[in-house]
Amino acid sequence: MIKGYEIERKFLVRMPDITALDVRKKLEILQTYLINGENDSQRRVRRISQSGEVKYFYTEKLFLTGITRKEMEYEINHSEYDRLINQAREDYVPINKTRYCFNYKNQLFELDVYPFSDSLAVMELELDSEEQEIIFPENVEVIKEITGNPAYSNARIATDRAFPDN
């Protein structure tokens, strides 16, 4: 189980040439939001496929600031995943995305690519502190920061099946 604080910043980017990135992992993710938990915490389950292997995870997040969250995440089995899916929020559709994890100057970026867009993606980076400097990859064009912007949340993007107008 992973417990702790997550400091993360997100950016809307133009779709880069994936082959030009130092990709370490490619994950196929199906993410389903569940009915909120205690203190209005955000709950979700994920089905993650990598190289033919499937794993399931439960995550609960409590938002503290725009970029800092208290997070609890742990792996679950298939039957627990099936049980939790019954608690899915009806107002959110499940999210399908491909995540490319890549290194750039000792930073581990995650690039989320959604099936409805060939031109835009979301790039995120977990930080050690809110003030940490980010060195952006030279071959990725950042359009704007979207950290904390509810219009760019995974749930909103999946429900709308589109990125908001830029």
Side-chain angles (χ1 to χ4, degrees):
M1 176 185 320
I2 299 171
K3 281 180 134 178
Y5 293 91
E6 175 185 65
I7 302 170
E8 181 180 77
R9 291 179 60 191
K10 293 183 171 190
F11 303 88
L12 183 66
V13 299
R14 295 225 185 280
M15 184 69 70
D17 174 2
I18 303 296
T19 63
L21 303 175
D22 183 17
V23 174
R24 301 299 170 101
K25 287 193 290 190
K26 177 184 175 185
L27 308 170
E28 298 297 334
I29 300 173
L30 173 62
Q31 180 170 302
T32 305
Y33 286 96
L34 308 175
I35 296 166
N36 286 1
E38 277 187 48
N39 300 318
D40 207 30
S41 63
Q42 183 186 78
R43 301 168 57 233
R44 70 173 187 226
V45 288
R46 282 182 167 172
R47 178 187 186 278
I48 301 177
S49 302
Q50 179 184 9
S51 302
E53 182 180 349
V54 177
K55 292 185 177 184
Y56 304 91
F57 294 89
Y58 171 81
T59 304
E60 194 163 334
K61 294 184 180 192
L62 189 60
F63 293 80
L64 303 175
T65 70
I67 67 174
T68 302
R69 300 176 270 276
K70 188 173 183 179
E71 179 180 90
M72 175 188 67
E73 181 176 78
Y74 55 91
E75 190 171 352
I76 58 177
N77 62 36
H78 185 262
S79 53
E80 181 71 4
Y81 174 83
D82 285 343
R83 185 185 71 75
L84 287 167
I85 282 290
N86 291 322
Q87 299 174 31
R89 290 183 60 153
E90 292 181 10
D91 54 335
Y92 291 173
V93 300
I95 300 161
N96 280 300
K97 61 185 177 182
T98 302
R99 171 168 287 170
Y100 297 92
C101 304
F102 67 96
N103 284 328
Y104 183 77
K105 298 205 177 198
N106 297 316
Q107 303 167 106
L108 181 61
F109 287 92
E110 296 175 339
L111 181 75
D112 287 345
V113 176
Y114 298 86
F116 55 78
S117 180
D118 293 331
S119 60
L120 299 173
V122 173
M123 185 175 71
E124 55 189 61
L125 176 67
E126 287 192 25
L127 307 171
D128 294 325
S129 74
E130 290 191 12
E131 298 78 29
Q132 181 179 330
E133 179 186 3
I134 299 172
I135 304 167
F136 291 104
E138 295 169 4
N139 55 348
V140 177
E141 181 187 345
V142 175
I143 298 169
K144 65 180 175 181
E145 183 165 8
I146 56 172
T147 305
N149 184 336
Y152 289 91
S153 72
N154 271 310
R156 181 74 169 274
I157 290 170
T159 300
D160 294 347
R161 296 195 191 283
F163 288 107
D165 291 335
N166 294 304

